[in-house]
Amino acid sequence: MVGAYSPLVVALPFAAFVIAVAVGGRLPRKGAIVGSIASAGALGLSVLLALEVATTGTYTATIWRWAAGSDGVTLSFGVLVDPLSTMMLIIVSLIALLVHIFSLGYMNDEGERDLPRYYAGLGLFTASMLGFVIADNLLMAFMFFELVGLCSYLLIGFWYREEAPPSAAKKAFLVTRFGDYFFLIGVVAVFATFGTAKFVGPMAFPVLAEAAIAGELSVRTFGFAPQTWITIVGLLILGGVIGKSAQFPLHTWLPDAMEGPTPVSALIHAATMVAAGVYLVARMYGFYAVSPDALAVIALVGGFTALFAATMGVVKREIKQVLAYSTISQYGYMLLGLGAGGYVAATFHLLTHAFFKALLFLGAGAVIIAMHHHEDMWEMGGLRRHMPVTYVTFLAGSLALAGIAPFAGFWSKDEILYETLIHALGGSPVLLVAFAMGLLAVVFTGFYTFRMVMLTFHGAPRSAHAEQPHAIGTSMRAPLVVLGALAVTAGAVNAVPLQKLTGLTDIDFLHQWLDGGSTALTAHHYAELLPYTSSYIGGGAPTTVLIGAAVSLALASTGALAAVVLYRGSEPTAHTDRLGAVGRLWYNNYRLDEFQVHLARGITLPFALRLNGFDQRGVDGIVNGVASVAMAVGDQVKRLQTGVVGAYARVITIGVTTLLVVIAVIGGWV
């Protein structure tokens, strides 16, 4: 069975990491070739695993039991290979391979130093994400979750000799750690409640949660009703998701993370760190599906973040900053889909977004190289004449991001909005609010996307670098072509709108794929658990699909057309300035960075200093005081140890005499 070799998916990029650390400086291309081979091997094995899942179903196995308690709680490492995990394995390994190839032109050909460290970081990053994907239990997932965060810190701060990257790396590490604290508490709560953290099997914690809600099982809920307690645990784990996937209010680290190398940004945004949070919710969706309140929170956080981040993207000047806020917004859509009961729709958008966002970041990297490492779009313009391949592929990714038919992003985003709408019409005011925010974000998405295209590639050059751009090599163009093709065609894997409009069957391939594997982990089973009912416009799904798609497409096109009209000239400043105070508020990220600094300096730091003072003077003072007394007594007692036999005899005599006197007094002899 191929499944027995599934740990090799993780082992191959980890081996590339070890080799790059050990002898990377002596290898051809400083470790790039080894990393590419390892990623290609992981991709090939992932495809074979997917084929096996398609024929034989889910594969699960325990690799190592590293702790077992007397109460039956077992801590172990295991693998879970099912339709969802194999889909993600292919995404991660494919993007990692393309990033390695692109890096040959972006890093090697540009003469960057410390390349073995760079490729070692890519290898460990890829291995950590792949380990997270195939983890069969929540504790193992948490461990790899933290490894992903560590790798992002190392790669964001790759250019540590400069001022900004180390600061950005520390910010990413600390902000995501805040969410991870809640995640860790949630993991402990899962063990305390169910005695297990397995994702699959008859004793998996989502299955036990379902039974507890139905009243078929008694679990430890610490005085809360089962429904309430499961909601609390789910929201604790959601804290880690919000941190890693850069959702409001823990989104502030992601724009700063653009200080890292652009290929790293592509990997973080498309397939690893930011994707990890959304994947985790999808992985344990059966647990969330039995908690209506947790689903409502997920939907609101996602819908608000989608709109909130999109507004900031419309005023940014740096090309990677626009893409960073776009990523925050798009993952908001995914959480909106998951919260609204659109498990397949959200997973679909996770798939398409990986392709077109990796394409856009790598395309931005090509532009940055051409612009001699300048990122300000105010200095660009006219690059399409010098970079036709980059322009065409970047345009394909932009059309997908904006949600323009028939590009990939249209199908997945439209399905999210459709699922949210029908469940909102089914009687959920919360989902109706979330839907309105997601729909409004469509306009902003179309606008900032094509504003970016116009400022970068159209109009007259606005600097000497734009007039004479640096040439890029084949190693940079090839990944763009591959991803450009996927940005155009990936929507075909789940053409649900066409199915509902035409009545054609068997064209919702992704839905059918996610409906396989273990019974408790299928899209069909999740649909049975969800608390939502569906209602339609005009009495039927075809009408609702048609109206929803038309409105979404019209809004996206309106935003895109407005950007084309406003920014087709050579001077972009005037249009942004017209936004006045609102524009400045958006450009300064709603002052949330300053607010978080204020919280850290004004509240957290003084509180921490007071706790430290209490620890030093109180806790440590007591311990040190007891130790000092003990040492003083010891110093006095040790004086009795003279080594003179006569002295010992005197002490014994005095002691025995004293003891006899005490006994005599107590016994009434005197």
Side-chain angles (χ1 to χ4, degrees):
M1 292 181 66
V2 181
Y5 299 97
S6 54
L8 284 177
V9 174
V10 182
L12 286 172
F14 184 79
F17 156 71
V18 174
I19 293 171
V21 169
V23 295
R26 297 192 293 272
L27 293 176
R29 311 292 271 177
K30 306 299 184 181
I33 303 301
V34 173
S36 299
I37 294 172
S39 298
L43 175 60
L45 184 54
S46 298
V47 172
L48 292 177
L49 288 170
L51 293 174
E52 182 171 277
V53 167
T55 55
T56 63
T58 297
Y59 174 83
T60 183
T62 299
I63 300 173
W64 177 45
R65 287 186 177 88
W66 55 283
S70 58
D71 56 355
V73 176
T74 301
L75 308 180
S76 62
F77 282 2
V79 296
L80 169 57
V81 182
D82 72 337
L84 177 63
S85 61
T86 51
M87 183 200 80
M88 199 65 190
L89 287 175
I90 292 172
I91 292 172
V92 175
S93 53
L94 174 61
I95 300 300
L97 173 60
L98 296 176
V99 165
H100 274 86
I101 296 171
F102 188 89
S103 296
L104 290 170
Y106 192 93
M107 301 294 288
N108 294 68
D109 293 350
E110 291 300 303
E112 293 288 348
R113 53 183 176 177
D114 297 330
L115 287 174
R117 177 165 59 87
Y118 171 79
Y119 287 110
L122 286 185
L124 186 58
F125 205 1
T126 304
S128 301
M129 186 63 191
L130 292 172
F132 172 77
V133 169
I134 65 172
D136 76 333
N137 66 85
L138 193 60
L139 180 60
M140 180 180 171
F142 175 78
M143 293 178 177
F144 280 105
F145 203 68
E146 294 306 290
L147 270 177
V148 168
L150 173 63
C151 294
S152 70
Y153 165 80
L154 296 173
L155 287 168
I156 293 168
F158 175 75
W159 288 312
Y160 65 90
R161 296 176 181 88
E162 301 176 12
E163 182 179 357
S167 177
K170 286 185 287 186
K171 183 177 182 179
F173 192 80
L174 292 173
V175 173
T176 56
R177 287 296 76 69
F178 185 80
D180 292 344
Y181 291 141
F182 293 99
F183 186 4
L184 180 58
I185 296 171
V187 172
V188 174
V190 167
F191 272 107
T193 303
F194 305 105
T196 180
K198 291 281 188 180
F199 291 131
V200 68
M203 297 303 292
F205 73 93
V207 175
L208 298 179
E210 181 182 347
I213 295 293
E216 301 170 355
L217 177 71
S218 178
V219 296
R220 186 183 302 172
T221 59
F222 303 93
F224 294 93
Q227 184 79 69
T228 304
W229 179 244
I230 288 172
T231 299
I232 292 171
V233 175
L235 293 179
L236 285 171
I237 296 172
L238 185 65
V241 172
I242 289 173
K244 283 291 193 293
S245 292
Q247 298 295 284
F248 178 87
L250 301 182
H251 66 282
T252 54
W253 67 270
L254 190 59
D256 289 7
M258 299 303 97
E259 295 292 342
T262 302
V264 171
S265 300
L267 195 58
I268 289 175
H269 288 246
T272 53
M273 182 147 165
V274 192
V278 171
Y279 176 81
L280 179 63
V281 176
R283 178 77 285 166
M284 50 182 292
Y285 197 64
F287 186 80
Y288 284 108
V290 298
S291 175
D293 292 336
L295 289 175
V297 172
I298 293 171
L300 282 176
V301 169
F304 178 79
T305 305
L307 176 59
F308 177 75
T311 60
M312 291 179 280
V314 304
V315 295
K316 297 300 180 181
R317 294 179 51 156
E318 296 80 10
I319 187 169
K320 287 175 65 177
Q321 285 283 308
V322 176
L323 293 175
Y325 283 101
S326 165
T327 297
I328 298 170
S329 180
Q330 294 305 302
Y331 279 99
Y333 274 113
M334 296 174 208
L335 285 184
L336 170 61
L338 289 168
Y343 165 74
V344 176
T347 307
F348 185 22
H349 201 52
L350 180 63
L351 171 72
T352 62
H353 178 266
F355 298 143
F356 67 70
K357 185 52 58 72
L359 167 62
L360 290 171
F361 264 108
L362 296 184
V367 168
I368 291 168
I369 292 296
M371 287 292 298
H372 304 269
H373 294 277
H374 287 78
E375 300 183 19
D376 192 342
M377 295 185 296
W378 262 229
E379 299 179 6
M380 300 178 186
L383 292 178
R384 63 176 177 150
R385 292 186 293 273
H386 303 282
M387 309 174 69
V389 174
T390 303
Y391 171 67
V392 172
T393 54
F394 196 93
L395 182 61
S398 298
L399 289 165
L401 171 60
I404 305 298
F407 294 85
F410 165 79
W411 303 99
S412 54
K413 187 188 296 183
D414 183 71
E415 189 173 345
I416 288 173
L417 293 174
Y418 169 78
E419 292 286 346
T420 307
L421 177 60
I422 63 173
H423 291 150
L425 295 175
S428 176
V430 172
L431 291 187
L432 193 60
V433 173
F435 171 78
M437 291 188 289
L439 193 63
L440 184 58
V442 171
V443 183
F444 288 96
T445 303
F447 184 87
Y448 71 64
T449 301
F450 275 86
R451 172 181 177 269
M452 175 176 60
V453 172
M454 300 302 295
L455 289 175
T456 304
F457 294 100
H458 289 262
R462 293 184 291 275
S463 69
H465 296 310
E467 292 177 351
Q468 296 182 328
H470 187 285
I472 64 170
T474 303
S475 63
M476 297 177 69
R477 288 194 293 269
L480 298 180
V481 173
V482 174
L483 291 168
L486 291 171
V488 176
T489 61
V493 303
N494 206 52
V496 172
L498 287 180
Q499 183 183 51
K500 295 186 180 299
L501 289 173
T502 62
L504 295 173
T505 59
D506 299 329
I507 61 173
D508 54 340
F509 305 108
L510 184 62
H511 189 282
Q512 295 181 37
W513 177 253
L514 295 175
D515 223 14
S518 174
T519 303
L521 301 177
T522 62
H524 179 75
H525 181 68
Y526 296 151
E528 293 178 340
L529 297 178
L530 288 168
Y532 301 126
T533 57
S534 301
S535 186
Y536 303 94
I537 300 173
T543 304
T544 307
V545 166
L546 193 61
I547 294 175
V551 171
S552 177
L553 185 58
L555 291 174
S557 301
T558 299
L561 183 61
V564 170
V565 171
L566 289 174
Y567 290 96
R568 60 185 175 182
S570 59
E571 292 296 331
T573 308
H575 306 300
T576 305
D577 290 345
R578 287 196 187 101
L579 294 173
V582 174
R584 290 190 294 274
L585 183 65
W586 289 349
Y587 188 81
N588 291 305
N589 310 326
Y590 292 90
R591 304 279 182 190
L592 281 177
D593 291 84
E594 291 87 342
F595 179 67
Q596 289 183 349
V597 170
H598 171 71
L599 289 178
R601 290 178 175 175
I603 299 176
T604 306
L605 181 59
F607 182 65
L609 290 173
R610 288 188 177 89
L611 287 179
N612 183 65
F614 173 75
D615 179 59
Q616 295 291 330
R617 293 187 294 273
V619 179
D620 287 355
I622 294 172
V623 174
N624 294 334
V626 171
S628 298
V629 171
M631 292 181 66
V633 173
D635 286 338
Q636 296 300 318
V637 172
K638 74 179 182 180
R639 297 179 184 273
L640 300 175
Q641 302 288 331
T642 63
V644 180
V645 176
Y648 294 160
R650 285 194 299 271
V651 171
I652 293 172
T653 301
I654 294 171
V656 171
T657 303
T658 303
L659 180 62
L660 290 173
V661 170
V662 171
I663 294 173
V665 172
I666 295 174
W669 299 350
V670 296

